[in-house]
Amino acid sequence: MRNLKIEIKLLQDRIFLPHSHSSHLVTDSEPLFESFIQGKLLIHSKKSLKVSSITLKLEGFMEEKAFGVKSLKLPGQRSIIKEKLVFLHAPTGFELLSAGSHAFDFRFAINSLLPETVRSPFLDIRYKLIASLKKPGFSSNVKQVKEVSIYRTNSEFDPDSQSAIILSNAWPKVLDYSVVLPSKVLTLGQTVPVEFHLWPHIQDIKFLGLEFSLVEDIAYSGRNPETTTNTKRWIGLKSINTLHDDLLPNKLVRIQIPPEARLRCDINNELIQIRHKLEVRILFESRRKLNSITLRCMVVIQPEPEYEEDLPSYPQSFENELVEVSNSEVSHDWANMPLPAYEPETVLNP
């Protein structure tokens, strides 16, 4: 409708759940509300409007698949959360919403044990907000849907996650080398400096370049913990050589971590685990032969941090002028798991 517009403005587009060693689906036990989805429901109307109800729902669902395809053998969408806020309710009549902009504050408390948002070949977990404005009579309802992304933070108390990664080894009588990353925790869209130190033992070594990729490993157990399905994919990374002179023993390369559209974050819950390894290939020529050294180490991929910003103000953001024209009463309900220790893997391809 051109005269009516509904918006859902979130205080934060990304919702972060606290770190948990045993992330799993919500049970019937006492819930732990440690995070919130909050913001404003905005209604813009060019003229006064008869309204019988204004509601906002939070829904989350899980859908299992068979390698990206919905299967008849698997159950359909399974609801994992369903909450509702009622801002206006006139079951036997209507309220008059004056022309202009109106804002309704909302806040949903969410359980810290909810699974993260994920899309994979085996499982989709998604969350959305659904705003609905209902008019009296047989008039059509007006709805607005907004996706909500939920992530889980890494443990800030894990000292190993914040320390630098140093990989060093030697090709006997040919080359000594070490690779240094500032941290094992990498952020979506981040530019990461990587230091290389090369010490050749022979004179005819020519450094040709470096290749980077992330190896994403998905382990899916589903509802049968005794059966696990694994899949891997390799994601090439763009890199920029800052120091690339063959004669320099120290080299600095900046790699670009892909955005969320190309890369998933690390996840660990009872249904699915997603892990990542950084793979580095050192390419060089020796004795007129092409050689390479491949190094791998575990890393943690986390979402881009969210910066809190105040929501924009509107003329009637805090004074909703609802004129009662019926005897109905208006309801005012305003309502990453530390990775295990690892050893650097080195593969020599002479």
Side-chain angles (χ1 to χ4, degrees):
M1 298 179 63
R2 294 182 180 180
N3 294 326
L4 180 64
K5 181 180 179 182
I6 299 179
E7 291 184 90
I8 302 173
K9 293 290 187 180
L10 289 172
L11 183 61
Q12 294 177 314
D13 287 332
R14 298 179 179 88
I15 310 303
F16 291 89
L17 298 174
H19 171 79
S20 174
H21 290 277
S22 58
S23 305
H24 54 80
L25 294 181
V26 180
T27 65
D28 294 331
S29 60
E30 183 69 20
L32 301 176
F33 295 124
E34 299 186 28
S35 298
F36 298 92
I37 298 175
Q38 52 191 332
K40 293 182 183 294
L41 173 62
L42 305 173
I43 299 177
H44 309 282
S45 180
K46 292 184 178 180
K47 59 182 181 180
S48 59
L49 186 68
K50 295 178 181 179
V51 179
S52 58
S53 68
I54 299 174
T55 60
L56 180 66
K57 293 189 292 185
L58 169 64
E59 294 185 357
F61 63 88
M62 176 184 69
E63 186 171 47
E64 296 181 70
K65 302 179 292 184
F67 285 96
V69 180
K70 297 180 181 179
S71 174
L72 296 177
K73 297 181 180 179
L74 297 174
Q77 292 184 0
R78 174 185 170 191
S79 176
I80 54 180
I81 185 174
K82 186 175 290 187
E83 302 288 344
K84 182 178 180 180
L85 294 177
V86 179
F87 302 111
L88 187 152
H89 183 53
T92 60
F94 59 86
E95 300 290 333
L96 188 63
L97 190 68
S98 61
S101 297
H102 302 264
F104 301 87
D105 295 286
F106 66 84
R107 187 182 190 187
F108 289 99
I110 56 175
N111 196 302
S112 62
L113 299 182
L114 280 174
E116 304 94 305
T117 299
V118 63
R119 295 190 181 186
S120 75
F122 312 102
L123 178 72
D124 281 354
I125 297 177
R126 300 171 63 183
Y127 298 90
K128 58 185 178 180
L129 291 168
I130 305 172
S132 178
L133 185 149
K134 185 177 180 181
K135 296 180 291 182
F138 297 98
S139 300
S140 60
N141 299 338
V142 181
K143 288 188 176 181
Q144 180 67 36
V145 179
K146 185 176 183 65
E147 292 273 347
V148 179
S149 297
I150 294 181
Y151 303 94
R152 192 170 303 280
T153 59
N154 296 299
S155 176
E156 298 178 355
F157 303 100
D158 179 12
D160 186 43
S161 67
Q162 303 300 326
S163 59
I165 297 178
I166 302 177
L167 306 176
S168 61
N169 212 325
W171 189 329
K173 299 182 181 181
V174 178
L175 180 70
D176 291 351
Y177 55 88
S178 70
V179 179
V180 181
L181 279 77
S183 171
K184 77 155 55 170
V185 180
L186 307 178
T187 303
L188 293 175
Q190 178 187 13
T191 300
V192 182
V194 181
E195 295 182 21
F196 284 83
H197 306 275
L198 308 176
W199 298 277
H201 294 290
I202 54 180
Q203 295 183 352
D204 67 339
I205 288 183
K206 182 180 180 181
F207 176 73
L208 299 179
L210 303 161
E211 293 181 353
F212 300 86
S213 60
L214 280 170
V215 183
E216 185 176 81
D217 189 347
I218 302 178
Y220 175 70
S221 57
R223 303 189 184 190
N224 184 3
E226 298 180 357
T227 303
T228 302
T229 305
N230 292 81
T231 184
K232 289 185 179 182
R233 66 170 179 151
W234 274 256
I235 304 161
L237 303 181
K238 296 181 180 180
S239 61
I240 300 175
N241 292 343
T242 304
L243 299 175
H244 58 275
D245 192 329
D246 295 340
L247 301 179
L248 291 175
N250 302 328
K251 305 178 187 301
L252 178 64
V253 178
R254 300 185 183 276
I255 59 175
Q256 184 71 38
I257 306 302
E260 187 173 7
R262 292 187 52 212
L263 184 64
R264 301 178 181 95
C265 296
D266 276 51
I267 287 180
N268 180 60
N269 59 49
E270 66 175 6
L271 294 176
I272 189 168
Q273 298 81 42
I274 300 180
R275 298 284 184 266
H276 294 88
K277 283 185 179 180
L278 178 66
E279 186 173 277
V280 185
R281 293 185 67 201
I282 305 174
L283 306 175
F284 63 95
E285 185 180 278
S286 175
R287 297 168 184 171
R288 298 182 180 180
K289 292 183 178 180
L290 178 64
N291 300 274
S292 67
I293 300 173
T294 302
L295 303 98
R296 302 182 185 94
C297 66
M298 298 294 295
V299 294
V300 176
I301 303 299
Q302 66 179 7
E304 184 180 355
E306 184 76 13
Y307 300 98
E308 294 188 14
E309 294 184 1
D310 293 335
L311 293 175
S313 59
Y314 292 85
Q316 300 178 20
S317 292
F318 301 100
E319 295 182 8
N320 301 308
E321 298 180 4
L322 299 178
V323 182
E324 186 175 353
V325 295
S326 69
N327 295 326
S328 61
E329 295 182 359
V330 180
S331 174
H332 293 286
D333 297 331
W334 302 86
N336 277 305
M337 180 168 183
L339 294 174
Y342 64 88
E343 297 293 335
E345 301 178 19
T346 302
V347 180
L348 303 179
N349 301 315

